[in-house]
């Protein structure tokens, strides 16, 4: 017989392992959290994926599209690429962007993604940490007219000799306020940063929600055009609308829903056509400065975590559920989490923001953690390496006490682990620091 667990505060149904009640947001007692059903999990029908294949799945990390299959009411997919093919795609992504060759121009000595004979590749230099390139504007190197890859000259952002795109100010960005810190980095294998973050703090003298912290993290879908533009527009729109709605007196859940709707409309508006639609994921947080109550909104697989800062605090927990192929397979009972994450389709999205996303099922949740800690928003460039909330807590103990150092350390750890994707981390200490709303680029 199935054991039905309920929250002792509001009687809402609670899933096994939940730390917070989805109904009232309160921390659940240990006896409710740790209880487990004894019933066997029903397995999904063993259908052939190939028998139901349909094209159109969007991959969150730039992987080629794969066929889809309807299984248990969810649209899933099957990989058609071998491991060697995926490795080849990853290798091509490490090359800098090259300007397209026009008629009458000589063919360069080598093409991106292929073995080079001459001239030799630029020497690899260990990156400085933290990188000096910060801020939202393009970096001004010592001599912006010279290419960073070869001795050529630069015109319109590209080298006239080798054709490579020059680095920009989005390669590494840090934003700091007294009550929230964000760090975003290109990583080691992508040619540009397609992540974006936006931070707002409601003015201390605002009529409503004074001091509330607002943060948004978006991850551009690499297989879509202008994904870096998609993430930037979506993050900025979401954070701006969310902060303004709070300032006008809307409750955080209503404001979160309105901000997600406006953000989705903003990214859809930049599409040139339905078949050429920029796309991204989205996760936002609103943290009350007095109580620490946090409202999360998300679409896609960018995540929010609660990281415990003391033995008496609420236990560390993942606050979101991915809109991804792997999560769908786990929820359907078709694969274990470990099996799903080993698949080449692990990061394929089943929901995103963009003109081609269809009707969006926006997820909104409110939690009320107890004790000190931190709310962390991040793209999969970090959680690929530290997927569990406790692993993030152990990697940087007391993240809420030193949010700037914590955000930098998380990015550094992801780079040390391989830096395969863009990395964005926002750390919001709870209780939040009171220090105004001005954000500083550092």
């Amino acid at each position: 017989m199935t054991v039905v667990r309920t929250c002792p505060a509001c009687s809402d149904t609670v899933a096994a392992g939940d730390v917070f009640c989805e109904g009232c947001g309160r921390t659940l007692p240990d006896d409710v959290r740790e209880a487990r059903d004894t019933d066997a999990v029903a397995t999904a029908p063993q259908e052939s994926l190939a028998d139901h294949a349909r094209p159109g799945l969007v991959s969150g990390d730039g992987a080629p599209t794969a066929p889809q299959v309807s299984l248990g009411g969810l649209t899933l997919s099957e990989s058609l690429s071998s491991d060697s093919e995926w490795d080849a795609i990853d290798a091509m992504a490490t090359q800098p962007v090259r300007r397209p060759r026009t008629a009458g121009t000589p063919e360069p000595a080598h093409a991106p993604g292929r073995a080079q004979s001459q001239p030799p590749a630029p020497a690899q230099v260990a990156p400085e940490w933290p990188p000096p390139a910060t801020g939202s504007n393009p970096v001004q190197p010592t001599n912006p007219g010279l290419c960073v890859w070869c001795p050529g000259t630069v015109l319109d952002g590209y080298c006239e000799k080798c054709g490579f795109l020059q680095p920009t100010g989005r390669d590494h960005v840090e934003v700091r306020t007294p009550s929230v810190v964000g760090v975003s980095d290109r990583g080691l294998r992508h040619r540009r940063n397609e992540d974006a973050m936006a931070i707002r703090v409601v003015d201390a003298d605002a009529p409503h929600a004074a001091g509330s912290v607002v943060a948004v993290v978006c991850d551009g879908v690499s297989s879509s055009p202008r994904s870096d533009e998609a993430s930037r527009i979506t993050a900025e729109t979401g954070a701006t609308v969310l902060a303004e709605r709070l300032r006008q007196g809307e409750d955080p859940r209503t404001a979160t829903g309105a901000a997600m709707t406006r953000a989705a409309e903003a990214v859809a508006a930049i599409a040139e056509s339905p078949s050429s639609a920029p796309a991204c994921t989205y996760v936002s947080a609103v943290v009350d400065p007095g109580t620490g109550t946090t409202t999360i909104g998300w679409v896609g697989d960018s995540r929010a975590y609660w990281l415990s800062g003391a033995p008496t605090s609420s236990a560390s927990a993942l606050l979101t559920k991915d809109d991804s192929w792997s999560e769908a397979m786990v929820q359907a009972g078709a694969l274990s989490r470990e099996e799903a994450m080993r698949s080449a389709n692990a990061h394929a999205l089943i929901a995103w923001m963009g003109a081609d996303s269809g009707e969006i099922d926006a997820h909104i949740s409110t939690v009320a953690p107890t004790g000190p800690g931190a709310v962390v928003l991040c793209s999969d460039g970090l959680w690929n390496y530290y997927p569990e909330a406790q692993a993030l807590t152990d990697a940087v103990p007391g993240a809420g006490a030193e949010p700037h150092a914590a955000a930098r350390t998380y990015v550094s750890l992801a780079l040390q682990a391989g830096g395969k994707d863009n990395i964005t981390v926002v750390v919001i200490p709870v209780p939040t620091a009171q220090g105004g709303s001005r954000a500083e680029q550092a």
Side-chain angles (χ1 to χ4, degrees), residues 18 49 63 115 151 245 255 278 328 332 374 388 422:
D18 281 357
L49 296 177
R245 294 274 184 152
E388 304 300 329
N422 306 143

Side-chain angles (χ1 to χ4, degrees), residues 8 39 71 91 138 148 181 194 199-200 202 209 218 230 290 314 316 361 366 380 408:
D39 286 0
L71 178 62
V148 300
V181 174
E194 297 173 348
I199 291 171
R200 304 285 188 274
V202 179
C218 295
S314 300
S316 298
D361 181 16
T366 299
D380 58 356
R408 279 186 166 188

Side-chain angles (χ1 to χ4, degrees), residues 304-332:
Y305 291 86
W306 162 254
L307 303 186
S308 178
T312 56
S313 301
S314 300
S316 298
L318 173 62
L319 304 179
T320 55
K321 292 183 180 179
D322 301 340
D323 290 318
S324 65
W325 179 89
S326 55
E327 185 65 29
M329 294 298 283
V330 172
Q331 294 300 319

Side-chain angles (χ1 to χ4, degrees), residues 211-223:
S212 292
V213 178
V214 171
V216 177
V217 167
C218 295
D219 182 355
V221 177
S222 297
S223 57

Side-chain angles (χ1 to χ4, degrees), residues 258-338:
M260 294 175 74
T261 298
R262 289 284 297 278
E265 292 172 348
V267 69
I270 67 173
E272 296 177 355
S273 68
S275 61
S276 180
C280 65
T281 66
Y282 181 101
V283 63
S284 69
V286 176
V287 179
D288 184 284
T291 65
T293 300
T294 301
T295 298
I296 305 293
W298 76 95
V299 172
D301 66 351
S302 291
R303 291 182 173 185
Y305 291 86
W306 162 254
L307 303 186
S308 178
T312 56
S313 301
S314 300
S316 298
L318 173 62
L319 304 179
T320 55
K321 292 183 180 179
D322 301 340
D323 290 318
S324 65
W325 179 89
S326 55
E327 185 65 29
M329 294 298 283
V330 172
Q331 294 300 319
L335 294 174
S336 69
R337 190 166 301 280
E338 292 73 18

Side-chain angles (χ1 to χ4, degrees), residues 58-74:
V58 174
S59 168
D61 59 0
T65 54
Q68 295 182 337
V69 56
S70 178
L71 178 62
L74 296 169

Side-chain angles (χ1 to χ4, degrees), residues 201-203 206-213 243 245-250 288-289:
V201 182
V202 179
D203 296 336
H208 303 282
S212 292
V213 178
R245 294 274 184 152
L246 292 171
R247 190 179 290 109
Q248 293 174 359
E250 282 192 357
D288 184 284

